[in-house]
Amino acid sequence: MLTATKINVDLTNITSDQPRRDPAIQRTLQTSSYPTATLELTQPVNLPEAPAEGVTYNLTAVGNMTVHNVTKQVSVDLQAQLKNGVIVIVGSTPFTFADYGMTAPAAPVVLSVDDHGTIEFQLFLTKG
């Protein structure tokens, strides 16, 4: 069981597949004022006590996500799998810029950008 965790993300390192978009992303996130986003569990996640190698476990994590100095409760869909002694967790959750006090990125070379998307991440857990 995963009872507590806090994940900090350095937003100043976010890049897209097109470098010309990156300044608009950084301006939207206002990374000079809000360089970090966090996700902190508010409820335990029931990981299998003895996970089987290669088996995928579908889980849900509930926590508080803080972006742009705004905190919202989120539910994050997770898939966990034991691979060679490492627990690999892949997660995703919907994201709307307006929910966090931001407007969608804008740049002259882009006609339009949706106000919503998905935050995706991958974690590697090992015994300490």
Side-chain angles (χ1 to χ4, degrees), residues 17-63:
D17 60 343
Q18 296 292 323
R20 65 179 182 237
R21 292 183 196 154
D22 297 345
I25 294 168
Q26 296 295 320
R27 280 192 308 274
T28 297
L29 295 173
Q30 294 181 324
T31 56
S32 60
S33 297
Y34 310 104
T36 305
T38 61
L39 176 63
E40 188 167 8
L41 286 182
T42 56
Q43 297 177 16
V45 176
N46 290 317
L47 295 170
E49 194 160 317
E53 181 77 25
V55 174
T56 299
Y57 299 92
N58 294 308
L59 309 162
T60 301
V62 177

Side-chain angles (χ1 to χ4, degrees), residues 2-7 39-43 45 61 64 123 125:
L2 181 60
T3 58
T5 191
K6 184 174 184 178
I7 301 167
L39 176 63
E40 188 167 8
L41 286 182
T42 56
Q43 297 177 16
V45 176
N64 290 326
L123 303 172
L125 307 178

